[in-house]
Amino acid sequence: MTEKTRYYFDHNATTIVRPEVVEAMLPWLGEYYGNPSSVHSFGREAKNGLDKAREKTAELINAEPDEIFFTGCGTESDNIALAGCITAADKSRNGLVTSTVEHSAIIKTADDLEEKGYPIARIGVDSACRIDMDALKNSIGGTTRLVSIMHANNETGVVQDIAQAAAIAHDAGAYFHTDAVQSAGKKVIDVKELGIDMLSMSGHKINAPKGVGVLYIKKGVTVNPLMFGGSHESGMRPGTENIPSIVAFATALEIASGEIDEKSRKLSALVKRLEEGMETAVENIQFNGREAERIPGTSNISIPGVDGEALLFSLDMAGIAASTGSACSTGEVEPSHVLVAMGISPKVAQSSLRFSMGYGSTEEGVDRILEVLPPTVKRLRAVSGGL
Ligand code: PLP
């Protein structure tokens, strides 16, 4: 029996570890296994690897090495940025302003802070998933300590004008954090030029392994650690550092940063081919966030009259891996909070799908979607009774 060819269109969920990255991390799994906190030569070797990875990561976002903190994942970076910064504040200025389209790592942390009595404001987006900057201005008050707006949305790929959002935050005397988990390696990030005080990234979205994240904290911003232990990562994130994955992170970010232009050209052309092909072949299809700037490689579609989960399953059977933005809670499939925030009805939101591309994506894969999707939509619409 021959293996069915599979096509991966879920790069915003996670990515393969590139061979160059595997190669870079291997010595740190074998030969150089010391604990970077140890004073002997084994420890010093590991510390050297850690320092170099920190320097490289800092340089790639125009930060200083002592402003880089390695964490366990993007979620952890987001938690430390929000909860650590807000709980370090005095009572007169302990508010947070964030948006309704953030990843759950931000949304749930904000919810938890609110339950603990901290003032939280949430601003919305327009129909193309762009932050309402006037609402942002109006929501920030003298009590706002931190504004957190994501750089690129994981579901729609829409890129926010974070330089403008940071300027608005600073004008009101607040700090600015951005969740750059989806934009790192796809957009140039210069924390000084963009006015960013804190920034989160995650290894497994940039072709490094799962289980490593980065939090940039600008010097002078007071942030409380959320975990307690040794003095690793200056006490901000105690726990013996995951050197192989940290080395992998810095290597992957360096490779990705060097390929931004080329990748942007290639992935944008693939998205264009996909969207134009679907538009021609599928009646009444909508492209969510298409009018806004998007990170290259993300396409979010709604196909009214089709259940997104059923479509996802049919595509999977045909070897195509995509995703819906729906969340499964208490056995019910909830529509994507991002699409709902864009004004899309819950019903149409549940007929949505995300294709996300990256390293290794090909025209052949796009053409496979274009071959499989239209007849599948026709069949599912016939079952559901139309558009
Ligand atoms: N923030 C965004 C925008 C994401 O897309 C994700 C993951 O999907 C995260 C945070 C969480 O990152 P991690 O999976 O490394 O915890």
Coordinates of all heavy atoms in Angstrom, one line a residue, residues 11-14 71-79 101-106 150-155 179-183 200-205 209-214 354, ligand 1:
H11 N 0.5 25.8 9.9 CA 1.8 26.3 10.5 C 1.6 27.3 11.6 O 2.5 27.6 12.4 CB 2.6 27.0 9.4 CG 3.2 26.0 8.4 ND1 4.6 25.7 8.4 CD2 2.6 25.3 7.4 CE1 4.8 24.8 7.5 NE2 3.7 24.5 6.9
N12 N 0.4 27.9 11.7 CA 0.1 28.9 12.8 C -0.1 28.1 14.1 O -0.1 28.6 15.2 CB -1.1 29.8 12.6 CG -0.7 30.8 11.5 OD1 0.3 30.7 10.8 ND2 -1.6 31.8 11.3
A13 N -0.4 26.8 14.0 CA -0.6 25.9 15.2 C 0.8 25.5 15.7 O 1.1 25.6 16.8 CB -1.5 24.7 14.9
T14 N 1.6 24.9 14.8 CA 2.9 24.6 15.1 C 3.7 24.3 13.8 O 3.1 24.1 12.8 CB 3.0 23.4 16.1 OG1 4.3 23.4 16.7 CG2 2.8 22.0 15.4
T71 N 11.8 31.4 28.5 CA 10.7 30.9 29.2 C 10.3 29.5 28.6 O 11.0 29.0 27.7 CB 9.4 31.8 29.1 OG1 8.9 31.8 27.8 CG2 9.7 33.2 29.5
G72 N 9.2 28.9 29.1 CA 8.8 27.6 28.6 C 8.0 27.6 27.3 O 7.9 26.6 26.7
C73 N 7.4 28.7 27.0 CA 6.5 28.8 25.8 C 5.9 30.2 25.7 O 6.2 31.1 26.6 CB 5.3 27.8 25.9 SG 4.3 28.0 27.4
G74 N 5.2 30.5 24.6 CA 4.6 31.8 24.4 C 3.6 32.1 25.5 O 3.5 33.2 26.0
T75 N 2.8 31.1 25.9 CA 1.8 31.3 26.9 C 2.4 31.8 28.2 O 1.9 32.7 28.9 CB 1.1 29.9 27.2 OG1 0.4 29.5 26.0 CG2 0.1 30.0 28.3
E76 N 3.6 31.2 28.6 CA 4.2 31.6 29.8 C 4.8 33.0 29.7 O 4.6 33.8 30.6 CB 5.4 30.6 30.1 CG 5.9 30.7 31.5 CD 7.1 29.8 31.7 OE1 7.0 28.6 31.4 OE2 8.2 30.3 32.1
S77 N 5.3 33.4 28.5 CA 5.8 34.7 28.3 C 4.6 35.7 28.5 O 4.8 36.8 29.2 CB 6.4 34.9 26.9 OG 7.5 34.0 26.8
D78 N 3.5 35.4 27.9 CA 2.3 36.3 28.0 C 1.9 36.4 29.4 O 1.5 37.5 29.9 CB 1.2 35.7 27.1 CG 1.4 36.0 25.6 OD1 2.2 36.8 25.3 OD2 0.6 35.3 24.8
N79 N 1.8 35.3 30.2 CA 1.4 35.3 31.6 C 2.3 36.2 32.4 O 1.8 37.0 33.2 CB 1.4 33.9 32.1 CG 0.0 33.2 31.9 OD1 -0.8 33.1 32.8 ND2 -0.2 32.8 30.7
V101 N -9.4 40.2 20.5 CA -9.0 39.2 19.6 C -7.7 38.5 19.9 O -7.0 37.9 19.1 CB -8.9 39.8 18.1 CG1 -10.2 40.2 17.6 CG2 -7.9 40.9 18.0
E102 N -7.2 38.8 21.2 CA -6.0 38.1 21.6 C -6.1 36.6 21.7 O -7.2 36.1 21.8 CB -5.6 38.7 23.0 CG -5.4 40.2 23.1 CD -4.3 40.7 22.3 OE1 -3.2 40.2 22.4 OE2 -4.4 41.8 21.6
H103 N -4.9 36.0 21.8 CA -4.8 34.6 22.1 C -5.3 34.3 23.5 O -5.2 35.2 24.3 CB -3.4 34.1 21.9 CG -3.2 32.6 22.0 ND1 -2.9 32.0 23.2 CD2 -3.3 31.6 21.1 CE1 -2.8 30.7 23.0 NE2 -3.0 30.5 21.7
S104 N -5.8 33.1 23.7 CA -6.3 32.8 25.1 C -5.3 33.0 26.2 O -5.6 33.2 27.3 CB -6.9 31.4 25.1 OG -5.9 30.5 24.6
A105 N -4.0 32.9 25.8 CA -2.9 33.1 26.8 C -3.0 34.6 27.4 O -2.7 34.8 28.6 CB -1.5 32.9 26.2
I106 N -3.5 35.5 26.6 CA -3.7 36.9 27.1 C -5.1 37.0 27.7 O -5.3 37.5 28.8 CB -3.5 37.9 25.9 CG1 -2.1 37.8 25.4 CG2 -3.9 39.3 26.3 CD1 -1.0 38.5 26.2
M150 N -1.7 42.3 20.4 CA -0.9 41.3 19.7 C -0.4 41.9 18.4 O -1.0 42.8 17.8 CB -1.7 40.1 19.4 CG -2.8 40.2 18.4 SD -4.1 38.9 18.5 CE -3.2 37.4 18.7
H151 N 0.7 41.4 17.9 CA 1.3 42.0 16.7 C 0.5 41.4 15.5 O 0.0 42.1 14.7 CB 2.8 41.6 16.6 CG 3.6 42.3 15.6 ND1 4.8 42.1 15.2 CD2 3.2 43.4 14.8 CE1 5.2 42.9 14.3 NE2 4.3 43.7 14.0
A152 N 0.4 40.1 15.4 CA -0.3 39.4 14.3 C -1.3 38.4 14.9 O -0.9 37.7 15.8 CB 0.6 38.8 13.3
N153 N -2.5 38.4 14.4 CA -3.5 37.5 14.9 C -3.3 36.1 14.4 O -3.1 35.9 13.2 CB -4.9 38.0 14.5 CG -6.0 37.2 15.2 OD1 -6.4 36.2 14.6 ND2 -6.4 37.6 16.4
N154 N -3.4 35.2 15.3 CA -3.2 33.8 14.9 C -4.2 33.2 14.0 O -3.9 32.3 13.3 CB -3.0 32.9 16.2 CG -4.0 33.2 17.3 OD1 -4.2 34.3 17.7 ND2 -4.8 32.2 17.7
E155 N -5.4 33.7 14.1 CA -6.5 33.1 13.2 C -6.6 33.8 11.8 O -6.8 33.1 10.8 CB -7.8 33.2 13.9 CG -7.9 32.3 15.2 CD -9.2 32.2 15.8 OE1 -10.2 32.4 15.1 OE2 -9.3 32.1 17.0
D179 N 2.2 40.5 21.9 CA 2.3 39.1 21.7 C 2.7 38.9 20.3 O 1.9 39.1 19.3 CB 1.0 38.4 22.0 CG 1.0 36.9 21.7 OD1 1.8 36.5 20.9 OD2 0.1 36.2 22.2
A180 N 4.0 38.6 20.1 CA 4.6 38.5 18.7 C 4.8 37.1 18.3 O 5.6 36.8 17.5 CB 5.9 39.3 18.6
V181 N 4.0 36.2 19.0 CA 4.2 34.7 18.7 C 4.0 34.4 17.2 O 4.7 33.6 16.7 CB 3.3 33.9 19.6 CG1 3.2 32.5 19.2 CG2 3.7 34.0 21.1
Q182 N 3.1 35.1 16.6 CA 2.8 34.7 15.2 C 3.6 35.6 14.2 O 3.7 35.2 13.0 CB 1.3 34.9 14.9 CG 0.4 33.8 15.6 CD 0.6 32.4 15.0 OE1 1.3 32.2 14.0 NE2 0.1 31.4 15.8
S183 N 4.1 36.7 14.7 CA 4.8 37.6 13.7 C 6.3 37.4 13.7 O 7.0 37.7 12.7 CB 4.5 39.1 14.0 OG 4.9 39.3 15.4
S200 N 6.5 38.9 23.5 CA 6.5 37.5 23.7 C 6.7 36.8 22.4 O 6.2 37.2 21.3 CB 5.2 37.0 24.2 OG 4.8 37.7 25.4
M201 N 7.5 35.7 22.4 CA 7.8 34.9 21.2 C 7.7 33.4 21.7 O 7.9 33.1 22.9 CB 9.1 35.2 20.6 CG 9.2 36.6 20.1 SD 10.8 36.9 19.1 CE 12.0 37.1 20.4
S202 N 7.6 32.5 20.7 CA 7.5 31.1 21.0 C 8.3 30.3 20.0 O 8.2 30.5 18.7 CB 6.1 30.6 21.0 OG 6.0 29.2 21.1
G203 N 9.1 29.3 20.4 CA 9.9 28.5 19.5 C 9.2 27.7 18.5 O 9.6 27.7 17.3
H204 N 8.1 27.1 18.9 CA 7.5 26.1 18.0 C 6.7 26.7 16.8 O 6.3 26.0 15.9 CB 6.7 25.1 18.7 CG 5.4 25.5 19.2 ND1 4.2 25.1 18.7 CD2 5.0 26.3 20.3 CE1 3.2 25.7 19.4 NE2 3.7 26.4 20.3
K205 N 6.6 28.1 16.8 CA 6.0 28.7 15.7 C 7.0 29.2 14.6 O 6.7 29.6 13.6 CB 5.2 30.0 16.1 CG 4.3 29.8 17.3 CD 3.0 29.0 17.0 CE 2.1 29.0 18.2 NZ 0.9 28.2 17.9
P209 N 11.9 23.8 18.4 CA 11.1 22.9 19.1 C 10.0 23.5 20.0 O 10.1 24.7 20.3 CB 12.0 22.1 20.0 CG 13.4 22.5 19.6 CD 13.3 23.8 18.9
K210 N 9.1 22.7 20.4 CA 8.1 23.1 21.4 C 8.7 23.2 22.8 O 9.7 22.5 23.0 CB 6.9 22.1 21.5 CG 6.1 22.1 20.2 CD 5.4 20.7 20.0 CE 4.8 20.7 18.6 NZ 5.8 20.6 17.5
G211 N 8.2 24.0 23.6 CA 8.7 24.1 25.0 C 9.8 25.1 25.2 O 10.6 25.0 26.2
V212 N 9.9 26.1 24.4 CA 10.8 27.3 24.6 C 10.1 28.6 24.2 O 9.5 28.6 23.1 CB 12.2 27.1 24.0 CG1 12.1 27.0 22.5 CG2 13.1 28.2 24.4
G213 N 10.2 29.6 25.0 CA 9.6 30.9 24.6 C 10.6 32.0 25.0 O 11.6 31.7 25.7
V214 N 10.3 33.2 24.6 CA 11.1 34.3 25.0 C 10.2 35.4 25.5 O 9.1 35.6 24.9 CB 12.0 34.8 23.8 CG1 12.5 36.2 24.0 CG2 13.1 33.9 23.5
R354 N -9.1 27.9 8.7 CA -7.8 28.7 8.5 C -6.8 27.8 7.8 O -6.6 26.6 8.2 CB -7.3 29.1 9.9 CG -5.9 29.7 9.8 CD -5.3 29.9 11.1 NE -4.8 28.7 11.7 CZ -4.3 28.6 13.0 NH1 -4.3 29.6 13.8 NH2 -3.9 27.4 13.4
Ligands
PLP1 N1 0.0 33.8 21.3 C1 -0.4 33.5 20.1 C2 -0.8 34.6 19.2 C3 -0.4 32.2 19.6 O1 -0.8 31.9 18.4 C4 0.0 31.2 20.5 C5 -0.1 29.7 20.1 O2 -0.9 29.4 19.3 C6 0.4 31.5 21.8 C7 0.4 32.8 22.2 C8 0.8 30.5 22.8 O3 2.1 30.0 22.5 P1 2.6 28.6 23.1 O4 1.9 27.5 22.3 O5 4.1 28.6 22.8 O6 2.3 28.6 24.5

